Each structure stands twice: as C-alpha cells, then as structure tokens.
Amino acid sequence: SQLTATKPGRRVVREKGTYLVLRELHGWEREPDVLAACENLIQVLIGDEPGPGMENLLEVTVPEEVERELRQRDREDEERWRRERREAGGSTPSPQEPSS
C-alpha cells in the first residue's frame, strides 16, 4: 500500500493492471490478513482520487472515532472468518498447501 500513498504511485499501480491480479487473488485467498489487504488496496485503486490536500494518504489525519470504527470492523471481519473456517471444519487448504 506504500506504492499507492501518492497520486503518481496510484497512477502507476493502476496502469500496470494490478486490479485484475488482486481480483483473482481475492477469489482464492483464505488468510484474513491477506484478504483485508487485498480489499483495502482494491478500494484505493477503484475509488475516486482524494480531494485537494489529501493526495498523499500517509499524511492524512484519521479522526480517532473513525480509527476506532475501522479497528472494530477489522475485529468483526477476523471473527467472521474464524467462525466460517470452524463451520467448514477447518479443512480449507491454504493457497500454499496442495489439496488432497
């Protein structure tokens, strides 16, 4: 996501077709941290460009209330993933493991 922090970086990442690769990765990835990173990057790539003064996302101040809400959503997503994995019997192979 460091590459997409600035407007020129976002332009280069978009021009290289990164969205298509991320879309495919998201379709088979099972690790919640990787899925969350894919989703966040996809949102940056398909979203509107930030307004004036917000072109560098690393310099944007996130209000404490918004940060708390985002952290809560992350925890809920993690719990949902764990619950789904338990319900599936935990037998879902990771992308690195060949299925039998």
Side-chain angles (χ1 to χ4, degrees), residues 41-55:
L41 187 50
I42 287 170
Q43 287 304 315
V44 169
L45 294 176
I46 67 173
D48 294 335
E49 272 298 313
M54 298 180 70
E55 292 90 353

Side-chain angles (χ1 to χ4, degrees), residues 4 10 13-14 18-20 22-23 38-49:
T4 60
R10 288 187 293 276
V13 171
R14 284 183 185 115
T18 305
Y19 170 76
L20 297 174
L22 288 171
R23 187 180 68 190
C38 283
E39 290 165 3
N40 291 340
L41 187 50
I42 287 170
Q43 287 304 315
V44 169
L45 294 176
I46 67 173
D48 294 335
E49 272 298 313

Side-chain angles (χ1 to χ4, degrees), residues 72-86:
Q72 177 63 31
R73 287 183 186 182
D74 284 346
R75 286 190 295 270
E76 291 169 358
D77 289 345
E78 175 78 16
E79 179 55 36
R80 184 180 68 243
W81 179 84
R82 290 179 191 278
R83 187 174 48 250
E84 289 171 357
R85 190 164 183 180
R86 278 193 308 267

Side-chain angles (χ1 to χ4, degrees), residues 1-44:
S1 67
Q2 294 287 322
L3 291 172
T4 60
T6 62
K7 187 173 184 173
R10 288 187 293 276
R11 186 183 70 248
V12 169
V13 171
R14 284 183 185 115
E15 289 171 355
K16 298 299 179 186
T18 305
Y19 170 76
L20 297 174
V21 174
L22 288 171
R23 187 180 68 190
E24 290 302 311
L25 174 61
H26 189 269
W28 59 263
E29 181 59 57
R30 297 293 173 247
E31 288 299 319
D33 292 340
V34 177
L35 282 171
C38 283
E39 290 165 3
N40 291 340
L41 187 50
I42 287 170
Q43 287 304 315
V44 169

